[in-house]
C-alpha cells in the first residue's frame, strides 16, 4: 500500500485530551496550594535550598557551568580566556595592564526569566540592573584569580539568567567561579555565594537563599561571597534599613557558615567534570 508522505501520521498509541487536562489541573491546583500555604509553614532558617551544579556544559566556551537552586533559579555561565586585551586608552591603564590581567563580567536576563509580565528587553532600567549585577559579580570573582600571571590579557565571564526565583547574585557568583575554574585559569580558590534576607519584623530570623517571593517581602537583604579554603570574604553587598550592627554581624556569620556548607557541592561538580574528560 503506498504511503502518503504529505500526511503527518499520529502515534500508534494515544490518550484522550481529557486525561491531560485532569493531570495539568491537578498540578496547577497543587502549585496554587503550595503558594497559598507558604506563609503558614515558615521556612527553617538554617535550611539551605538544594543546589545542583554541573561544570563543562558548553563546548564552545573555554569553561562553563550550570547552576540551579531548588525552587527555580537557573543560571548558565561561560568563561573565556586569557585573551589579548585591547590597548588601554590612558597611560595609567596601560601601566596597570603590564602588571596584571583584567576580568570582564557580563550579565543578561532572558526575556522569560521572570514570572508575570515580561520586562522590555533593552530598556534603560533593565540595562542598569544588569550592569549593577555584572559589577557586583566582578568584585566578587576578581579576588579569586591570579591576574598577575596574565599581563596584557583579559578574562571574560558571561552569565545568562534563565529563570529568576530569588538569590540571583549569589547563584551567579558560584556559577561564575565554577566556570572560571573549569576554563583552567590560575585561581586562589572558588568563590561561593550565599544570599540572606529578613522581613520587616526585627525579631524575625534571617532566611538563607530566599526565594523571589521572600525577597519581595524582605526589608533587609545581604549577599556574601567567601573563599572557603583561604577563609577570606571576597564581597559583601547589603541593602535595607532598620537593623543594628549586631544584626548585620549575625547575618554575616550566618551566610559564611552557609558558604562552607555549599563549598563541597561545587568542588564535587568540578571533580566530576574532570572525570568525564
Amino acid at each position: 500500500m503506498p504511503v502518503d508522505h504529505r500526511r503527518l501520521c499520529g502515534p500508534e498509541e494515544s490518550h484522550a485530551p481529557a486525561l491531560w487536562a485532569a493531570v495539568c489541573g491537578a498540578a496547577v491546583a497543587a502549585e496554587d496550594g503550595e503558594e497559598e500555604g507558604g506563609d503558614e509553614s515558615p521556612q527553617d532558617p538554617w535550611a539551605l535550598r538544594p543546589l545542583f551544579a554541573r561544570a563543562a556544559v558548553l563546548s564552545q566556551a573555554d569553561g562553563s557551568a550550570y547552576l540551579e537552586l531548588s525552587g527555580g533559579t537557573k543560571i548558565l555561565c561561560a568563561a573565556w580566556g586569557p585573551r589579548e586585551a585591547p590597548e588601554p586608552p590612558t597611560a595609567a591603564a596601560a601601566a596597570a595592564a603590564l602588571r596584571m590581567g583584567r576580568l570582564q563580567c557580563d550579565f543578561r536576563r532572558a526575556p522569560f526569566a521572570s514570572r508575570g509580565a515580561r520586562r522590555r528587553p533593552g530598556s534603560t532600567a533593565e540595562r542598569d540592573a544588569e550592569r549593577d549585577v555584572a559589577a557586583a559579580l566582578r568584585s566578587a570573582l576578581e579576588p579569586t584569580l591570579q591576574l598577575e600571571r596574565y599581563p596584557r590579557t583579559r578574562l571574560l565571564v558571561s552569565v545568562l539568567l534563565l529563570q529568576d526565583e530569588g538569590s540571583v547574585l549569589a547563584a551567579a557568583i558560584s556559577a561564575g567561579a565554577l566556570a572560571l575554574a573549569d576554563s583552567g585559569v590560575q585561581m586562589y580558590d572558588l568563590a561561593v555565594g550565599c544570599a540572606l534576607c529578613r522581613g520587616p519584623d526585627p525579631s524575625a530570623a534571617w532566611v538563607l537563599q530566599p526565594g523571589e517571593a521572600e525577597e519581595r517581602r524582605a526589608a533587609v537583604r545581604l549577599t556574601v561571597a567567601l573563599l572557603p579554603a583561604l577563609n577570606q570574604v571576597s564581597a559583601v553587598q547589603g541593602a535595607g534599613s532598620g537593623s543594628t550592627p549586631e544584626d548585620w554581624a549575625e547575618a554575616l556569620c550566618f551566610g559564611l557558615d552557609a558558604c562552607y556548607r555549599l563549598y563541597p557541592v561545587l568542588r564535587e561538580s568540578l571533580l566530576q567534570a574532570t572525570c568525564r574528560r
Side-chain angles (χ1 to χ4, degrees), residues 157-224:
V157 173
S158 179
V159 176
L160 176 62
L161 177 62
L162 300 175
Q163 186 171 337
D164 182 1
E165 290 295 339
S167 305
V168 171
L169 177 57
I173 291 171
S174 300
L178 203 57
L180 285 169
D182 182 58
S183 69
V185 299
Q186 297 292 321
M187 301 179 67
Y188 294 106
D189 193 12
L190 285 175
V192 184
C194 182
L196 305 92
C197 77
R198 192 175 67 179
D201 185 5
S203 62
W206 290 89
V207 177
L208 285 172
Q209 295 176 310
E212 190 271 337
E214 291 169 326
E215 285 186 336
R216 193 170 57 248
R217 296 191 299 264
V220 185
R221 302 178 183 87
L222 178 69
T223 300
V224 58

